[in-house]
């Protein structure tokens, strides 16, 4: 992993750590200005398939919640799950109902670099590869050019699914 000391990661614990890391290399690099729901979905599912997981679908409501948080992080130049509004409040405002988990990153220049960083972190990996999640939204935001920034680019990935998948059956 390249220069992890310059990049930030935060995870919201959602599931037990998954099996040992699988090294995965992407063939392309997708910059934030080239992201589309189709490209994002293909990349996320490429990694999930390579790790024996089911594909998931893109959800516009989760993407809207991710976008609002990525923009807030960029506007404050701060990497955090809670900048005055919680994950639950953000997804509720976007009219999403369901269980959610969130991965955040800062400083990555491409989608693939953000995903590789998440895969290298047990908590992020667990969220990204959890079979309990069936859909997701992803967004990026940039600190305005000319403004000094710790990370420059902020990434927010929100995974979602049915609450029942998380219920413990006795």
């Amino acid at each position: 992993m390249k220069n992890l000391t310059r990049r930030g990661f935060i995870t919201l614990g959602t599931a037990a750590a998954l099996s040992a890391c699988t090294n995965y290399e992407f063939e392309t690099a997708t910059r934030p200005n080239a992201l589309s729901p189709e490209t994002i979905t293909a990349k996320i599912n490429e990694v999930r398939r390579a790790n024996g997981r089911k594909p998931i679908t893109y959800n516009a409501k989760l993407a809207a919640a991710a976008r609002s948080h990525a923009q807030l992080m960029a506007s404050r130049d701060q990497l955090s799950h809670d900048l005055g509004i919680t994950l639950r409040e953000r997804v509720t405002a976007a009219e999403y109902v369901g269980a959610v988990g969130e991965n955040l990153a800062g400083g990555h220049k491409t989608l693939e670099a953000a995903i590789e960083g998440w895969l290298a972190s047990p908590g992020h990996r667990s969220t990204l590869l959890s079979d309990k999640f069936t859909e997701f939204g992803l967004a990026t935001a940039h600190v305005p050019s000319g403004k000094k920034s710790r990370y420059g680019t902020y990434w927010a990935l929100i995974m979602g699914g049915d609450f029942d998948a998380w219920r413990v059956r006795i």
Side-chain angles (χ1 to χ4, degrees):
M1 201 75 232
K2 302 173 205 147
N3 197 3
L4 283 178
T5 59
R6 290 188 49 210
R7 296 186 177 101
F9 296 100
I10 297 178
T11 187
L12 178 64
T14 57
L18 295 174
S19 61
C21 292
T22 299
N23 290 331
Y24 187 81
E25 290 192 29
F26 291 95
E27 294 182 18
T28 60
T30 310
R31 297 213 172 266
N33 63 351
L35 295 176
S36 69
E38 296 79 18
T39 300
I40 295 166
T41 302
K43 295 294 180 176
I44 294 291
N45 284 327
E46 185 178 332
V47 168
R48 288 178 61 85
R49 273 190 293 279
N51 286 277
R53 302 303 189 271
K54 297 175 186 173
I56 58 177
T57 59
Y58 181 85
N59 181 290
K61 291 178 180 179
L62 290 173
R67 188 170 30 265
S68 73
H69 197 61
Q71 289 170 344
L72 182 60
M73 289 189 298
S75 73
R76 295 187 182 178
D77 197 23
Q78 188 176 354
L79 185 64
S80 176
H81 285 286
D82 188 352
L83 293 172
I85 183 169
T86 66
L87 173 58
R88 176 55 51 199
E89 290 168 333
R90 285 185 273 121
V91 297
T92 299
E95 301 181 353
Y96 183 81
V97 178
V100 291
E102 179 175 66
N103 284 353
L104 304 176
H108 298 283
K109 304 287 187 217
T110 66
L111 172 61
E112 294 79 6
I115 292 172
E116 288 171 0
W118 290 327
L119 288 172
S121 163
H124 290 95
R125 181 183 183 79
S126 177
T127 300
L128 180 63
L129 299 179
S130 174
D131 280 330
K132 293 180 180 182
F133 293 126
T134 57
E135 52 195 353
F136 76 97
L138 181 137
T140 67
H142 306 281
V143 172
S145 61
K147 182 179 176 186
K148 186 175 179 176
S149 170
R150 183 171 180 190
Y151 298 112
T153 303
Y154 289 86
W155 299 81
L157 170 69
I158 302 177
M159 306 286 282
D162 193 323
F163 282 117
D164 284 339
W166 296 91
R167 294 200 201 315
V168 176
R169 293 177 175 58
I170 301 174

